[in-house]
Amino acid sequence: MEVFAEVVGSAGYLEVVPPIFEHIEVFQRLGPATDVVRKEMYAFEDKGGRTIALRPEQTASVVRGFAEHRPAVPYKTWYAGPNFRYERAQKGRFRQFDQVGVEVLGPYDPHLDAETITLAWRFYERLGLRRVTLLVNSLGSAEDRGRYVDALRVHFEENRDALSEESRATLAANPMRVLDSKREADIELVDAAPLMLDHLSDDSAEHFTAVTEALDAVGVPYTVNPRLVRGLDYYVRTTFEFAADALDASQNAVGGGGRYDGLAAEMGAPETPGVGFALGVDRTLLACDAEGVFAAPASAVDVFVVDATDGTEAVVLTDRLRSAGLRVDRAWDGRSMKAQMRAADRSAAVLAVIIGEDERASGMATVRDLRGDGGQETVEIGQLTDILRARLR
Ligand code: HAM
């Protein structure tokens, strides 16, 4: 999260906090034929008889907020938080999952598409992931897409009998979704289907070329995948997805996004282009594990208080040291001195502060090095904070 905030913060994106639930109509804009809307929404009626849904993603809410409050453009935002989809839960596919993402409203500039993609790429780089690949595609404008969908419909209708039953049902609602099918029966027909990239208008083709040239210029590697379709209907022109090669192919999409130039107008704002992405935090962490990019977890505390008196010294000392800005923990349940020292070792703290009856009587404390040679010194309690600070520097 902090790394993401730093990467996008360096590009002037400001944090927004979209609501966890909305009127269901807001999410229906994601496309009535999409799985997300048809099957995966957690929708319920509230006490006022309104139909409410938990957010399956956050783009719709950010754009709804934009339409409602009309901030100045370019409106550059980022967000982080949970989303809910009623899916068959399995590794990497959860019913509650976290995303971090950005949304920008205003510019139509293809360099902005490249900026967002580059920020996501730099984020993965900063995490230390090396086996992430970027796929890009253009879905053209709404008109290009209309022509393309017609061509697809003709292609699939001509071979309707060969399609799987599910795809025949999808075909009626949205022929583009048939391209998503991984079913054995459909593979041949999907492979032979016309390509969107061959149906782009000049304007859309130029836009896409400018995006890829900008990615070349900043050195972000990508593969153009004309078969890339995303699971939401608001996309036009640029779409992209990040795949983690260290994960199983069925759940290896660690992030995705694209342009949604028509969405703001659909939500009641004047025509305003938009572009953004969301990265799946859970899957990104699985990819980090699979690539072994995280170092051993850092210790949660620097100082461990060992109290061999009646336990009251630890109550007071932990509070005093924490108030002085130190990270401090202690053991519980009146354990023996030996058990407390084992707990101190397990905590991975750098220093132990030990108080026994002798120290208490003389107003002293023993500071022991838990990492280096285990050396120790006895110090006056009044000087303890300064000494700990100096030793931790
Ligand atoms: P999405 O592709 O549906 O796009 O989700 C983005 C990412 O969220 C996926 O690549 C994946 O990593 C993660 N994700 C989705 N569903 C699950 C799940 N059930 N379990 C775990 N992770 C999951 C969007 O949500 C768009 N709003 C992205 C966007 C922003 N487009 C434009 N702006």
Side-chain angles (χ1 to χ4, degrees):
M1 243 287 278
E2 292 96 69
V3 178
F4 188 76
E6 252 176 61
V7 171
V8 297
S10 75
Y13 290 67
L14 294 179
E15 185 177 7
V16 290
V17 184
I20 300 279
F21 60 82
E22 295 260 12
H23 286 282
I24 195 163
E25 292 80 11
V26 171
F27 300 122
Q28 278 162 347
R29 304 269 154 70
L30 304 176
T34 59
D35 280 356
V36 172
V37 170
R38 266 187 341 126
K39 300 188 202 154
E40 296 172 2
M41 210 120 75
Y42 279 93
F44 55 91
E45 203 169 279
D46 74 2
K47 287 202 174 77
R50 306 170 194 89
T51 308
I52 299 295
L54 297 183
R55 64 183 186 202
E57 58 107 66
Q58 297 171 68
T59 312
S61 298
V62 174
V63 177
R64 196 264 310 137
F66 173 82
E68 209 168 304
H69 304 293
R70 309 277 170 89
V73 296
Y75 180 57
K76 296 173 75 172
T77 65
W78 71 271
Y79 53 81
N83 309 279
F84 308 85
R85 295 185 192 178
Y86 189 74
E87 304 211 57
R88 205 163 55 81
Q90 52 193 294
K91 188 173 180 205
R93 190 175 297 280
F94 310 110
R95 292 186 179 148
Q96 174 173 343
F97 59 96
D98 273 78
Q99 288 181 337
V100 289
V102 306
E103 311 295 346
V104 188
L105 286 126
Y108 170 72
D109 194 328
H111 288 170
L112 176 61
D113 308 32
E115 173 176 293
T116 59
I117 295 172
T118 304
L119 290 172
W121 186 260
R122 297 294 175 227
F123 168 67
Y124 291 128
E125 264 182 359
R126 281 276 300 274
L127 291 182
L129 287 172
R130 292 290 170 266
R131 295 174 57 207
V132 173
T133 47
L134 164 63
L135 306 173
V136 295
N137 188 21
S138 175
L139 299 179
S141 66
E143 297 79 54
D144 303 345
R145 195 148 136 187
R147 276 187 283 115
Y148 176 59
V149 168
D150 289 344
L152 269 186
R153 188 172 286 118
V154 169
H155 169 75
F156 286 125
E157 285 292 355
E158 274 172 359
N159 302 285
R160 191 181 170 80
D161 293 345
L163 281 177
S164 68
E165 202 182 315
E166 294 89 340
S167 288
R168 265 180 264 151
T170 326
L171 177 58
N174 182 356
M176 282 186 63
R177 300 240 53 84
V178 179
L179 295 175
D180 247 355
S181 167
K182 309 254 173 344
R183 289 175 206 97
E184 196 70 40
D186 301 327
I187 288 177
E188 218 172 289
L189 276 178
V190 167
D191 280 349
L195 294 179
M196 182 69 236
L197 281 179
D198 296 333
H199 288 73
L200 294 183
S201 61
D202 289 350
D203 183 44
S204 298
E206 265 168 42
H207 195 276
F208 188 54
T209 305
V211 174
T212 53
E213 282 177 358
L215 292 175
D216 290 334
V218 289
V220 171
Y222 61 88
T223 306
V224 175
N225 180 351
R227 293 279 177 222
L228 178 67
V229 266
R230 307 252 315 118
L232 303 160
D233 272 358
Y234 49 56
Y235 294 112
V236 288
R237 298 193 179 81
T238 318
T239 52
F240 51 94
E241 209 156 87
F242 297 94
D245 299 335
L247 297 180
D248 291 346
S250 53
Q251 278 88 242
N252 73 350
V254 285
R259 256 196 184 274
Y260 44 85
D261 294 341
L263 189 59
E266 263 190 56
M267 298 272 190
E271 273 308 321
T272 313
V275 60
F277 65 73
L279 312 180
V281 174
D282 311 76
R283 285 189 195 173
T284 301
L285 291 173
L286 286 172
C288 287
D289 266 353
E291 286 198 33
V293 298
F294 287 141
S299 64
V301 291
D302 298 313
V303 178
F304 202 93
V305 173
V306 174
D307 182 350
T309 68
D310 57 6
T312 48
E313 291 301 313
V315 172
V316 176
L317 252 189
T318 49
D319 176 59
R320 227 176 65 207
L321 297 176
R322 287 170 191 158
S323 299
L326 296 166
R327 301 187 313 153
V328 186
D329 203 359
R330 51 162 294 181
W332 303 102
D333 293 332
R335 314 291 291 277
S336 70
M337 163 98 173
K338 216 165 133 195
Q340 290 188 56
M341 285 311 297
R342 274 203 304 273
D345 280 333
R346 269 201 306 274
S347 79
V350 182
L351 299 170
V353 173
I354 305 163
I355 304 216
E357 291 299 350
D358 289 351
E359 281 96 344
R360 173 148 75 175
S362 55
M364 308 290 277
T366 299
V367 177
R368 184 181 293 179
D369 191 333
L370 293 171
R371 292 213 176 151
D373 57 4
Q376 63 181 46
E377 61 177 320
T378 302
V379 304
E380 270 179 42
I381 208 91
Q383 290 174 355
L384 182 61
T385 312
D386 289 342
I387 288 171
L388 292 175
R389 274 212 196 98
R391 293 199 45 177
L392 288 169
R393 241 201 305 270

